[in-house]
Amino acid sequence: MSDVTIFAPSPTLTVTVESAGGDDQIHIHAGGQGVWQARMLRRLGISVTMCCTLAGEAGEVIRHLLEDDGIRVVAIERQGRGSAYVQDRRDGERVTVGEESGDPLERHDLDELYTAVIREGMRSEIVILSGPADDDVLPADTYRRLAADLRPAGCTVVVDLAGERLDASLEGGVDVLKISDEELREHGLQDESVAGVVDAMHRFRERGARTVIVTRAGDPLLLLDDEGVLEITPPKLEVADSRGAGDSLTAGVVAGMVRGEPPRAAVTLGAAAGAMNVTRHGLGTGDAETIAGLRERVGTRTVHEEDAGTSARVSPDGLAALAGQEDDS
């Protein structure tokens, strides 16, 4: 049994060419959102089971790379092409040389993967639903079904998704939603002030998320839960590569939750993990001792919504209570 189960339907084989001292260096890793989350969780001392599909030559290599990182792999092996890319970063910028998203999952493979996630999730109690390499890999409704089935089974469901997959997971109901302000804009956010973002967070809660965390590029993070709005300010560090910072943040939050912290407290560990990740070229990497030190430098403050200019709202529980009062009158 692992502390956390991650649903990662199609991990990616990544090949990166870099330059060091005038010589080429070739780095081969497993990649993708769920992999980067798993890698940071392992750095923080959390055991992880990854439920995924593995296809073709890329899948064979990915399994070995994941297991070398200490990740327990529960894989549905299938025929066809897996996800992979080759990037040239010798000039400092990522240039994609070749890429394939892999073949969509067939119905039988998806059924087997779904069953594996439910089984392993019930053993872990915390499940992260991560996105596929490509939108066409599996139906977005899979996320609604998983969220709807995992929570009644006693699992805490954490998501960092966008688009149709986010909408579907909210319909199923999630415990923690992490989303970026960029993804909020894709969902129609026009007012990017704190008030505008908090209003959007309330709407996500009304749609099925208990706790909402929004990352805002260089601005402080925001968290909304039953207690209200919390602003979280990570330490400022020099950025080597910003990719994967959000996945490291999600992993840090989950690591805190595994240790018994509520999301409101665990978000400071997430902020420290995300800050550490941007200083490194390896995604989902960092040192647990350094992250713990950075956590002590994360600032937090309560945001009073009336001061931020947000409209007054009543929670679903509050609405139910008001309805009961009206019935009694």
Side-chain angles (χ1 to χ4, degrees):
M1 181 183 75
S2 298
D3 297 318
V4 177
T5 292
I6 297 181
F7 173 62
S10 55
T12 301
L13 180 64
T14 74
V15 181
T16 306
V17 185
E18 296 186 347
S19 179
D23 294 328
D24 289 345
Q25 291 186 345
I26 299 176
H27 301 274
I28 301 174
H29 296 286
Q33 185 184 43
V35 173
W36 299 325
Q37 292 164 346
R39 191 175 292 146
M40 178 56 75
L41 282 165
R42 293 296 301 127
R43 299 299 189 274
L44 294 171
I46 305 300
S47 59
V48 179
T49 291
M50 178 173 292
C51 295
C52 60
T53 61
L54 298 176
E57 296 173 340
E60 294 180 15
V61 178
I62 288 171
R63 177 188 287 276
H64 290 295
L65 293 171
L66 291 173
E67 291 176 345
D68 286 347
D69 270 337
I71 299 166
R72 177 172 173 261
V73 179
V74 175
I76 308 304
E77 297 184 357
R78 61 192 182 104
Q79 300 298 314
R81 300 173 304 146
S83 173
Y85 66 69
V86 179
Q87 291 184 334
D88 186 340
R89 201 164 64 178
R90 284 174 290 187
D91 292 330
E93 299 295 328
R94 293 180 180 271
V95 178
T96 300
V97 177
E99 182 176 16
E100 61 178 2
S101 57
D103 295 323
L105 299 186
E106 296 183 358
R107 181 184 62 80
H108 174 75
D109 294 328
L110 180 55
D111 285 348
E112 292 301 314
L113 179 60
Y114 194 97
T115 299
V117 178
I118 299 296
R119 181 184 66 245
E120 299 301 328
M122 289 190 295
R123 295 170 177 171
S124 296
E125 298 186 356
I126 297 182
V127 180
I128 302 176
L129 303 181
S130 71
D134 184 82
D135 288 345
D136 295 331
V137 169
L138 75 170
D141 191 59
T142 306
Y143 290 87
R144 178 195 62 79
R145 294 170 54 220
L146 280 171
D149 286 343
L150 285 164
R151 294 180 81 202
C155 301
T156 297
V157 177
V158 179
V159 303
D160 179 0
L161 300 167
E164 293 182 354
R165 295 186 295 276
L166 170 58
D167 293 334
S169 68
L170 288 171
E171 189 176 344
V174 303
D175 295 284
V176 179
L177 161 64
K178 179 266 170 188
I179 189 169
S180 70
D181 57 352
E182 179 180 355
E183 291 160 341
L184 281 181
R185 288 191 290 273
E186 294 175 1
H187 275 262
L189 177 71
Q190 296 180 342
D191 179 2
E192 298 185 28
S193 67
V194 171
V197 173
V198 171
D199 275 341
M201 296 168 77
H202 275 292
R203 289 194 291 273
F204 282 124
R205 273 176 52 84
E206 290 164 0
R207 291 175 58 195
R210 294 186 62 185
T211 298
V212 181
I213 301 169
V214 176
T215 58
R216 303 165 60 226
D219 294 323
L221 323 174
L222 295 172
L223 176 146
L224 175 65
D225 60 8
D226 289 338
E227 297 182 39
V229 183
L230 186 69
E231 180 184 86
I232 305 99
T233 305
K236 295 285 187 181
L237 300 174
E238 289 294 317
V239 177
D241 190 342
S242 61
R243 292 202 326 154
D247 298 320
S248 290
L249 184 147
T250 300
V253 173
V254 171
M257 292 169 62
V258 168
R259 294 165 182 156
E261 301 176 14
R264 174 169 282 255
V267 70
T268 58
L269 179 58
M276 178 79 263
N277 189 87
V278 303
T279 69
R280 303 169 62 87
H281 291 99
L283 279 61
T285 63
D287 171 78
E289 183 177 354
T290 304
I291 291 170
L294 289 173
R295 187 182 194 183
E296 297 177 1
R297 291 163 173 78
V298 174
T300 62
R301 75 177 185 91
T302 300
V303 176
H304 299 287
E305 296 191 50
E306 59 273 19
D307 296 335
T310 58
S311 57
R313 290 175 178 265
V314 181
S315 68
D317 290 342
L319 288 172
L322 288 173
Q325 293 173 8
E326 292 175 358
D327 292 341
D328 293 339
S329 61

